[in-house]
Amino acid sequence: MKNSSLQNFSPQKILICQLRQIGDVLLATPAIKLLAQKFPQAKIYFYTEKKCAPLLENNPYLYKIISLDRKQLKNFLTELKFYRQIAKQDFDLIVDFQQLPRIRWVIFFSKAKIKLTYTPPWYNKILYSHWVNSLPGYAAYCKLSILRALDIDPQIIPPQVYLKKNEILSAQNYLKKLKVKPDNLFLTFDPTHRRKTRCWPSSHYIQLGQLIKKHHPQTKILLLYGPKERNFVEPIYNSDKNLFILPDKVLSLREMAAIISLAKMHIGNCSAPRHIAVAVNTPSFTILGATSSAWTYPKGYHYDIKLGLKCQPCNKNHCEHINCLVNLSPQTVWNALQPKLDALVLPTK
């Protein structure tokens, strides 16, 4: 830790930096709450990419969201002007969870007294006033651990999405239009991922859906998908249109969060929706390939499964065989999922 003494430090304006990805931004939300509790007098800003910003809306601890729209940064001079505008807002404290170039420029221009991050490589250390080694464990806990420099104890607390009542009502009405009834076992599936090393085969999701349906005949499963992913989920939907539900459009992040909040359980790949499920207090079950269990919230009804090959977790984006996913059979997944799902839907004796 560099310059570890921060006694009597009382910031008035705080900037949290986490540009992407959507799940990582969600995992930074516990820091907003802890910083607000430690420094109740401070206005807290959050700097993130435009695509991630919606999940931060309505957060009672946030004063302002600063969104980066890369489409508007047409050239380098435009970018520099944007970064300088952020830096000129007189922040006392900047907490950088990512150390990306578009964050480092803001750090460079800022006159903030405290510029805090995890231990950076030697060539970035000149930009920061303080750094701390991250602690291992749950991903959100790792982020929070750098707040030790501010005398904030890291805790295992869930990410949070603050939904409005009208958003929940809209999701309920949407499901009614899709003919989801109160007696249905309503689940969400997230079968897509841009990385093959994190994507369980779609044919496996079809078989898993049938195994669930056989055990719980009233099951309805809504398929989540993002931009340019509809073609991936259509074969799953077409395999059993009485079981699977395919939204007619890509749901916005907040629409997705509201719908997941109404599900009995969310099941899917290691992607943003699993973190959304935790954030809206919906049980989750994640099928792991290249990633580790560090992304699984370690409390409550949140589970994961992996084949357990020696190469797992590799955290690679490319693999010639992805045996960790292909050879993880739907029956194996169902054997692990069934007791956890039954505990949620079957009456206890």
Side-chain angles (χ1 to χ4, degrees):
M1 182 187 299
K2 180 183 178 182
N3 298 333
S4 60
S5 178
L6 290 175
Q7 291 182 355
N8 302 319
F9 178 57
S10 182
Q12 300 301 307
K13 295 181 73 175
I14 300 172
L15 178 65
I16 299 172
C17 302
Q18 177 80 50
L19 289 184
R20 51 181 169 85
Q21 298 288 348
I22 294 169
D24 295 294
V25 171
L26 262 181
L27 291 169
T29 57
I32 304 171
K33 183 176 181 179
L34 290 186
L35 285 166
Q37 291 174 340
K38 177 69 174 181
F39 306 112
Q41 77 288 347
K43 294 179 179 178
I44 301 178
Y45 295 64
F46 200 111
Y47 174 41
T48 192
E49 289 188 357
K50 181 181 178 180
K51 67 179 181 180
C52 305
L55 289 180
L56 299 172
E57 294 172 4
N58 202 42
N59 188 310
Y61 302 104
L62 265 185
Y63 179 75
K64 186 177 180 180
I65 303 167
I66 301 175
S67 297
L68 183 150
D69 187 349
R70 288 188 287 180
K71 293 181 180 179
Q72 293 185 355
L73 304 180
K74 298 179 181 179
N75 54 60
F76 185 59
L77 291 179
T78 303
E79 284 197 58
L80 289 183
K81 182 178 178 180
F82 176 73
Y83 304 139
R84 286 179 66 94
Q85 287 175 341
I86 298 174
K88 285 182 177 180
Q89 296 185 54
D90 297 325
F91 295 108
D92 307 298
L93 167 64
I94 299 179
V95 179
D96 180 5
F97 285 124
Q98 210 164 21
Q99 297 182 19
L100 291 179
R102 289 186 172 95
I103 297 175
R104 297 202 302 267
W105 275 112
V106 173
I107 299 288
F108 174 78
F109 286 124
S110 175
K111 296 180 180 180
K113 179 181 178 181
I114 305 300
K115 302 173 181 178
L116 173 64
T117 189
Y118 56 90
T119 303
W122 65 268
Y123 50 84
N124 282 337
K125 288 184 176 180
I126 194 173
L127 295 172
Y128 300 94
S129 66
H130 292 70
W131 55 78
V132 184
N133 290 331
S134 298
L135 297 177
Y138 174 52
Y141 177 82
C142 292
K143 292 182 183 295
L144 293 177
S145 68
I146 74 169
L147 301 183
R148 304 192 319 275
L150 300 166
D151 197 28
I152 297 175
D153 291 330
Q155 304 171 33
I156 297 178
I157 55 178
Q160 190 71 53
V161 173
Y162 294 88
L163 294 169
K164 300 176 183 178
K165 289 183 179 180
N166 68 307
E167 291 175 317
I168 299 294
L169 180 60
S170 179
Q172 290 171 337
N173 290 334
Y174 184 70
L175 292 180
K176 286 180 182 178
K177 291 181 181 178
L178 295 174
K179 299 181 179 180
V180 176
K181 300 176 181 179
D183 61 341
N184 288 139
L185 169 58
F186 176 59
L187 308 172
T188 54
F189 267 17
D190 172 31
T192 70
H193 202 291
R194 63 193 182 98
R195 304 294 188 186
K196 290 184 178 180
T197 56
R198 294 159 175 78
C199 193
W200 203 43
S202 58
S203 59
H204 288 14
Y205 275 104
I206 292 172
Q207 294 178 58
L208 178 62
Q210 293 299 327
L211 289 167
I212 297 172
K213 181 181 178 180
K214 183 178 180 180
H215 195 67
H216 297 286
Q218 298 301 315
T219 299
K220 291 287 186 180
I221 301 173
L222 186 137
L223 301 171
L224 302 172
Y225 64 95
K228 301 180 181 180
E229 292 180 339
R230 185 180 177 90
N231 290 341
F232 186 91
V233 298
E234 281 183 338
I236 302 176
Y237 168 66
N238 290 331
S239 71
D240 189 341
K241 295 182 180 180
N242 291 318
L243 170 64
F244 296 110
I245 301 169
L246 182 63
D248 56 0
K249 64 181 181 69
V250 176
L251 300 172
S252 71
L253 289 177
R254 295 193 70 85
E255 287 173 334
M256 184 189 302
I259 287 173
I260 291 175
S261 76
L262 300 174
K264 204 68 177 179
M265 177 177 274
H266 170 77
I267 301 165
N269 298 324
C270 185
S271 190
R274 69 173 302 194
H275 302 300
I276 293 175
V278 178
V280 297
N281 200 32
T282 293
S284 65
F285 188 95
T286 304
I287 300 158
L288 299 179
T291 52
S292 75
S293 293
W295 301 96
T296 303
Y297 185 63
K299 295 183 179 181
Y301 299 98
H302 301 287
Y303 313 98
D304 62 45
I305 186 172
K306 56 183 177 293
L307 189 57
L309 300 182
K310 291 182 179 179
C311 56
Q312 288 181 275
C314 67
N315 292 313
K316 293 180 179 179
N317 294 327
H318 303 282
C319 178
E320 294 181 359
H321 52 74
I322 55 172
N323 288 336
C324 60
L325 292 165
V326 173
N327 294 338
L328 181 56
S329 71
Q331 185 65 56
T332 298
V333 172
W334 171 241
N335 290 343
L337 173 63
Q338 180 183 345
K340 297 170 176 57
L341 189 58
D342 287 353
L344 294 171
V345 300
L346 295 179
T348 56
K349 295 182 179 179

